Amino acid sequence: MDRSDRPGGISRLWRRGAGLVALAAVAGAALVAACGGDDELAVTGLDERGYHDTSRLVTTQWIEDNLDNDSVLLIDLRSGDDYAVGHIPGAVQIPRSAFQVEIDGVPGLIPPAANVASELGAIGATAETTIVFYDNRGSIWGSRGLWVLSVYGHEDVRLLDGDFPLWESEGRRVSTGASALAAADYAFSSSPNGDIIAGWDEIVAAIDDPSVLVCDARSPEEYAGRDVRADRGGHIPDSVNVEWSRALDEDGRFKSADELRALYEGEGVVAGNTVYTLCQTAVRATHTWFVLSDLLGYDDVRVYDGSWVEYGNREDSPIDS
């Protein structure tokens, strides 16, 4: 009730062990337009931010306007307990483990395509479904879901600009009833994209390559080796540290393109280079990947899926602190 299979790059990794409420309303609700005979969900309300591409980002107002749209599936990546207390009406909850598995002793890696397809089919998704992720902190886990589906080729996957606390703070409807959707036969509709994923070998090779930059999305304490979450602490030599949360405003929404550009360029993360992102288990790293690739338009951004949990546990990993 209301109260208000793997691509080549992945195969290698696997073998290696591998407020604005009013502004949004003025900007307009989502529009449905005909395009080549197919209905296409338009994205509105973000133009004033100056982003390179908003096709995979939606606002709380967009979600509000599409709550009754059967082609849109909201996926809640918070805990089951949080979901039970209250969630966006119609959203289904799946565990975060749907997008991370342990492979050869390395936790947090991307699951095989068949595993992900099974999870999506169980909640009624098809290849034609518009999937929108949200969570409880700046879409950090939502970005992981979006990245995984982007690797495996789901055509229309999007991320909430903000999080559930933002939705609630705006006084929007919240449901406590579980959403039960009929299961479907899900299959990915295109080939996997190995160009947005990197492994340990590529990361090590990047250390001496001036055309490649490693952007570490962890906290400064982790980067400096004072907060150690693997056998060894520190950072990859010549990597730069831009903590993922610095890309967000206080309300959990992304900062404007001008602010983001100043942030990343100020730390040396500039367009034109190949950029590898990492964190501890490639969750924060996917958030930075989305910022750089979609919002700022960097051409070649890849997520190091093994991240520090793999890198810091290998004795042969070059490390600075």
Side-chain angles (χ1 to χ4, degrees):
M1 60 181 172
D2 292 338
R3 58 176 175 88
S4 111
D5 333 321
R6 295 170 163 249
I10 304 174
S11 297
R12 292 194 302 272
L13 175 59
W14 208 345
R15 289 196 302 269
R16 278 190 302 269
L20 282 176
V21 180
L23 182 58
V26 171
L31 305 174
V32 178
C35 181
D38 296 325
D39 286 340
E40 183 176 300
L41 291 166
V43 180
T44 60
L46 296 167
D47 292 344
E48 71 280 358
R49 310 259 197 96
Y51 298 142
H52 170 76
D53 183 4
T54 60
S55 63
R56 298 197 291 188
L57 188 65
V58 301
T59 64
T60 52
Q61 186 60 52
W62 185 96
I63 290 180
E64 181 82 46
D65 294 336
N66 283 279
L67 286 179
D68 297 323
N69 189 335
D70 291 338
S71 69
V72 175
L73 176 61
L74 302 177
I75 296 182
D76 186 317
L77 288 177
R78 300 175 301 148
S79 70
D81 288 342
D82 286 343
Y83 177 83
V85 170
H87 53 269
I88 298 176
V92 295
Q93 190 269 342
I94 62 175
R96 296 168 178 175
S97 58
F99 302 110
Q100 287 192 320
V101 295
E102 182 173 322
I103 301 170
D104 293 339
V106 180
L109 298 181
I110 187 170
N115 294 33
V116 180
S118 177
E119 293 279 0
L120 295 177
I123 58 174
T126 70
E128 291 73 37
T129 301
T130 296
I131 293 177
V132 181
F133 289 106
Y134 75 89
D135 54 47
N136 62 354
R137 191 184 177 202
S139 287
I140 181 174
W141 273 96
S143 69
R144 175 71 187 190
L146 184 145
W147 177 76
V148 169
L149 296 197
S150 297
V151 169
Y152 286 133
H154 186 84
E155 186 171 342
D156 192 356
V157 55
R158 311 187 187 193
L159 188 67
L160 172 62
D161 179 34
D163 44 35
F164 183 74
L166 173 66
W167 175 274
E168 222 175 9
S169 73
E170 293 176 341
R172 300 184 187 274
R173 288 181 291 158
V174 173
S175 174
T176 56
S179 299
L181 300 176
D185 291 327
Y186 184 91
F188 288 105
S189 58
S190 64
S191 300
N193 180 9
D195 292 337
I196 58 174
I197 184 169
W200 184 88
D201 291 340
E202 290 94 330
I203 297 299
V204 172
I207 294 173
D208 295 320
D209 186 345
S211 70
V212 179
L213 179 71
V214 176
C215 182
D216 191 324
R218 297 177 300 160
S219 70
E221 291 294 301
E222 292 170 88
Y223 179 82
R226 292 187 291 269
D227 181 356
V228 180
R229 304 185 184 187
D231 288 345
R232 303 162 68 196
H235 58 267
I236 296 168
D238 296 328
S239 63
V240 298
N241 179 216
V242 185
E243 189 171 8
W244 75 279
S245 57
R246 295 175 65 188
L248 299 174
D249 277 330
E250 291 182 359
D251 62 5
R253 283 181 270 215
F254 291 102
K255 293 179 178 178
S256 71
D258 286 344
E259 292 172 300
L260 292 173
R261 194 171 294 110
L263 168 63
Y264 286 95
E265 290 183 357
E267 298 290 352
V269 185
V270 296
N273 291 325
T274 294
V275 180
Y276 294 145
T277 66
L278 83 148
C279 57
Q280 179 68 18
T281 58
V283 176
R284 292 170 286 181
T286 60
H287 196 273
T288 298
W289 162 82
F290 178 79
V291 170
L292 296 177
S293 60
D294 282 50
L295 303 188
L296 294 182
Y298 284 30
D299 290 332
D300 189 4
V301 186
R302 312 177 191 190
V303 175
Y304 172 28
D305 196 29
S307 275
W308 198 259
V309 71
E310 177 186 43
Y311 195 91
N313 283 335
R314 289 188 57 146
E315 294 182 356
D316 53 348
S317 294
I319 291 177
D320 281 349
S321 60

